[in-house]
Amino acid sequence: MARNSCFGYLTLLLLTLTGSSIDAQHAPHWWDNRNSIIHLFEWKWADIAKECEQFLAPHGFAGVQVSPAAENVVITGRPWWERYQPISYKLITRSGNETEFADMVRRCNDVGVRIYVDVLLNHMAASNEGNVHGTGGSFAYPSAKNFPAVPYVESDFHPTCDIEDWNDRLQVQNCELVCLKDLDQSSEWVRERLVDFLDHLIELGVAGFRVDAAKHMPAVELKLIYDNVRDLNIEQGFPRNARPFIYQEVIDHGHETISKYEYSPLGAVTEFLFSEEIGGAFRGHNQLKWLQSWGTAWGFLPSVDAFVFVDNHDNQRGGGNVLTYKTAKQYKMATAFMLAYPFGISRIMSSFDFVDHDQAPPADANEQLLSPAFDEDVACVNGWICEHRWRQIYNMVDFKNVVTDADTAIPADGEASLRPSWKN
Ligand SMILES: *[C@@H]1O[C@H](CO)[C@@H](O)[C@H](O)[C@H]1NC(C)=O
């Protein structure tokens, strides 16, 4: 075990020193020794700016994953997933407008907290209604595959079909995921619109992207898009020639026709198997002593490629082994393990409370999102859960920052007690 750890450390060091272009989109551009990303799901831009200044920077968080920034379709009842149905690339959503977005990114960068945007490159809104409107005042005609505010027309999309056989690569990548109009990324026009959108966000100072539904796009076409995106903005404190950090949503527990390893050369990849296994272990379905081999031996991607989490905004609604804030004690233990054990790029979920799968985020009678309110213990009180403000979680974020260069020493007798030992 100790030998493996040393080897892992050496490998990392070599990768850092060579810094080849293959690694470019793997670099998250963190400040100093910070290294945890927090997903402030459905938060408003103005609230995130304040959170960076007042809580995240002082507690050593490295970055924030923000909800989709592009104009989305307005759906009755305002389910959270309406944000995953874009109708234009105007930066106007219930989280705020472009001015507020730009202000958030600048203020977070100023205190060393990076912004990563959840981006929808796979599809546009689904609807059987003729005419829909969006959060930025645009209209669209999804049933006719007509999105004039971009503009996209029918020929920019794949022909309509359902994904019925998930082992069929062509269906998974060219048919419609839950009826979402499926953009054809082999079209240069489509790729240029997507690159323009990503460039716009980079210009405003973001450090990278979470690519939604990446598995539903061929890796070769994603590579064409990523390769053509501009370098990060030096005026926002990034070095020259810095490439955006890219992490791709690929759900592959290890048996999928379309494999996570197809995407890892392009950037990091979400490791859903990590979430499943850590949940199983801390729910008591597996013995914790087995965690001593935690890592690729469990079928995970290599540490440099693995984007890891206890739960995310999708699978926290899916049940099964996945742990969520609803089982707070086990959730804190699993999160502590994730942050103590040196494996992968870790993201922490910050949820809003929900009973129903589709439930909207906390909002007022006019459907405006609520700002989080805090009690004396800094915890959130008005429908926002704010796992990142739980003492056990933010203290472990700090722990991970401090032991970043330390090795783990695990006794050979297999007891799963982790003992960080200082390198320096
Ligand atoms: C953006 O939103 C803010 C706050 O609501 C508002 O004051 C400002 O006028 C808006 N800017 C634009 C360009 O719409």
Side-chain angles (χ1 to χ4, degrees):
M1 193 60 211
R3 221 182 42 198
N4 284 345
S5 303
C6 290
F7 182 69
Y9 177 74
L10 271 179
T11 314
L12 255 174
L13 195 67
L14 284 173
L15 284 172
T16 313
L17 290 176
T18 53
S20 75
S21 61
I22 295 171
D23 306 318
Q25 287 148 187
H26 284 83
H29 307 289
W30 293 326
W31 256 30
D32 301 333
N33 60 347
R34 297 182 192 179
N35 56 42
S36 295
I37 295 173
I38 171 73
H39 180 193
L40 295 178
F41 182 47
E42 288 276 11
W43 279 44
K44 287 187 285 187
W45 309 149
D47 296 329
I48 294 175
K50 261 189 251 163
E51 193 71 352
C52 283
E53 293 167 345
Q54 296 173 3
F55 192 87
L56 300 176
H59 287 93
F61 285 81
V64 182
Q65 177 182 316
V66 303
S67 279
E71 177 177 20
N72 63 266
V73 65
V74 172
I75 293 176
T76 309
R78 313 309 299 263
W80 60 270
W81 41 261
E82 72 168 35
R83 304 259 324 238
Y84 289 82
Q85 301 206 16
I87 68 165
S88 85
Y89 299 120
K90 289 184 203 164
L91 302 186
I92 309 177
T93 62
R94 285 211 289 171
S95 285
N97 60 30
E98 178 165 344
T99 314
E100 293 165 300
F101 182 88
D103 183 60
M104 165 189 73
V105 178
R106 187 187 49 74
R107 285 165 62 189
C108 291
N109 275 331
D110 281 351
V111 293
V113 179
R114 299 312 193 190
I115 299 291
Y116 309 99
V117 188
D118 197 349
V119 293
L120 300 311
L121 310 181
N122 177 60
H123 57 257
M124 299 297 280
S127 177
N128 294 321
E129 295 168 45
N131 171 338
V132 301
H133 73 282
T135 47
S138 302
F139 283 85
Y141 311 88
S143 55
K145 302 183 183 175
N146 186 357
F147 295 86
V150 180
Y152 287 135
V153 295
E154 188 170 5
S155 56
D156 298 319
F157 294 84
H158 288 124
T160 291
C161 48
D162 288 337
I163 303 176
E164 282 164 359
D165 178 0
W166 284 75
N167 292 315
D168 182 335
R169 173 179 297 270
L170 288 177
Q171 282 190 33
V172 173
Q173 298 190 325
N174 295 348
C175 289
E176 293 175 353
L177 173 66
V178 293
C179 301
L180 295 159
K181 303 305 167 197
D182 199 62
L183 285 166
D184 178 3
Q185 290 82 9
S186 72
S187 143
E188 193 171 351
W189 171 264
V190 170
R191 288 199 308 270
E192 280 173 3
R193 300 290 69 70
L194 297 174
V195 168
D196 283 353
F197 167 56
L198 299 176
D199 279 355
H200 184 193
L201 295 169
I202 291 176
E203 225 171 274
L204 297 175
V206 309
F209 308 106
R210 173 213 182 242
V211 178
D212 182 75
K215 179 174 142 184
H216 297 274
M217 296 172 273
V220 286
E221 288 168 11
L222 281 178
K223 181 170 173 9
L224 289 174
I225 294 169
Y226 302 160
D227 283 352
N228 282 293
V229 165
R230 54 167 285 174
D231 289 339
L232 296 184
N233 190 344
I234 53 173
E235 283 159 20
Q236 296 261 353
F238 295 101
R240 244 164 240 292
N241 307 320
R243 302 298 296 159
F245 175 47
I246 287 178
Y247 54 103
Q248 306 160 99
E249 186 210 9
V250 176
I251 303 176
D252 173 15
H253 291 89
H255 319 285
E256 295 292 323
T257 303
I258 302 168
S259 144
K260 54 195 173 190
Y261 299 99
E262 295 174 34
Y263 295 84
S264 53
L266 305 178
V269 177
T270 52
E271 184 49 273
F272 278 82
L273 193 52
F274 180 110
S275 170
E276 182 73 22
E277 295 287 6
I278 205 168
F282 285 92
R283 279 184 188 278
H285 303 323
N286 205 346
Q287 293 184 51
L288 296 183
K289 69 177 183 184
W290 302 127
L291 296 178
Q292 69 165 301
S293 64
W294 194 239
T296 51
W298 289 62
F300 304 159
L301 288 154
S303 184
V304 286
D305 297 330
F307 193 86
V308 305
F309 45 94
V310 175
D311 63 332
N312 82 344
H313 69 280
D314 274 321
N315 74 6
Q316 70 173 186
R317 290 168 166 72
N321 271 348
V322 173
L323 279 167
T324 73
Y325 71 89
K326 291 173 188 281
T327 320
K329 185 177 174 191
Q330 287 80 359
Y331 189 76
K332 289 171 189 172
M333 289 165 68
T335 303
F337 180 80
M338 172 176 80
L339 295 175
Y341 199 98
F343 182 83
I345 298 152
S346 34
R347 176 184 59 197
I348 295 158
M349 182 70 204
S350 189
S351 316
F352 62 82
D353 189 27
F354 65 91
V355 184
D356 174 63
H357 177 281
D358 296 340
Q359 193 172 321
D364 66 18
N366 297 319
E367 301 191 341
Q368 303 294 306
L369 292 177
L370 294 184
S371 296
F374 312 112
D375 69 12
E376 284 158 13
D377 290 330
V378 312
C380 290
V381 288
N382 56 339
W384 301 98
I385 300 294
C386 304
E387 293 90 326
H388 68 288
R389 280 174 168 262
W390 293 0
R391 179 172 43 83
Q392 297 86 346
I393 291 183
Y394 66 74
N395 279 339
M396 284 306 296
V397 167
D398 198 32
F399 174 88
K400 190 173 182 192
N401 292 344
V402 172
V403 300
T404 181
D405 291 328
D407 205 349
T408 47
I410 298 178
D413 63 9
E415 273 181 51
S417 63
L418 289 172
R419 293 185 306 204
S421 62
W422 293 93
K423 266 207 160 12
N424 304 315

